[in-house]
Amino acid sequence: MKKRHMSGTRPVPELRDQRTLESLLARHYAAQKKYDRRRREADSPRERELAGLLYEENRYAYLQAYRQLYGSSPFVEVTEDGR
């Protein structure tokens, strides 16, 4: 078995990780809006409950991605390009 040297591996750039987290955050936000709309427009109580559960599950994932990207700071400065 061939040994791998650490000098041959490159670390993943932080910028790429940040963009991945930003896109993940955006997807979770869009999904939250979708599940909230489904919850409001649901015809049956079962559909309303399912949409509510999906909303809460997605909200938890959204908050995790938010904390990973921005930390626990409640204030996030928006740059000129809207990020």
Side-chain angles (χ1 to χ4, degrees):
M1 186 174 212
K2 188 176 181 180
K3 291 184 180 181
R4 294 182 65 188
H5 295 284
M6 291 302 289
S7 61
T9 60
R10 292 182 297 159
V12 177
E14 186 175 321
L15 183 61
R16 185 173 183 193
D17 286 340
Q18 184 176 1
R19 285 186 181 163
T20 303
L21 283 173
E22 286 174 351
S23 66
L24 181 66
L25 194 66
R27 281 184 279 154
H28 282 309
Y29 181 75
Q32 272 186 282
K33 289 175 69 174
K34 179 180 84 171
Y35 293 137
D36 186 44
R37 187 177 354 100
R38 279 177 56 183
R39 184 173 50 180
R40 285 183 278 127
E41 297 173 354
D43 294 333
S44 71
R46 183 170 185 238
E47 287 179 17
R48 192 174 302 121
E49 183 180 356
L50 178 61
L53 290 172
L54 290 169
Y55 175 85
E56 288 301 321
E57 181 180 321
N58 193 66
R59 184 173 190 274
Y60 177 75
Y62 171 84
L63 290 173
Q64 278 187 320
Y66 183 91
R67 286 186 190 111
Q68 270 188 306
L69 187 59
Y70 299 115
S72 60
S73 174
F75 177 75
V76 177
E77 185 176 341
V78 178
T79 60
E80 288 181 18
D81 63 350
R83 293 185 185 183

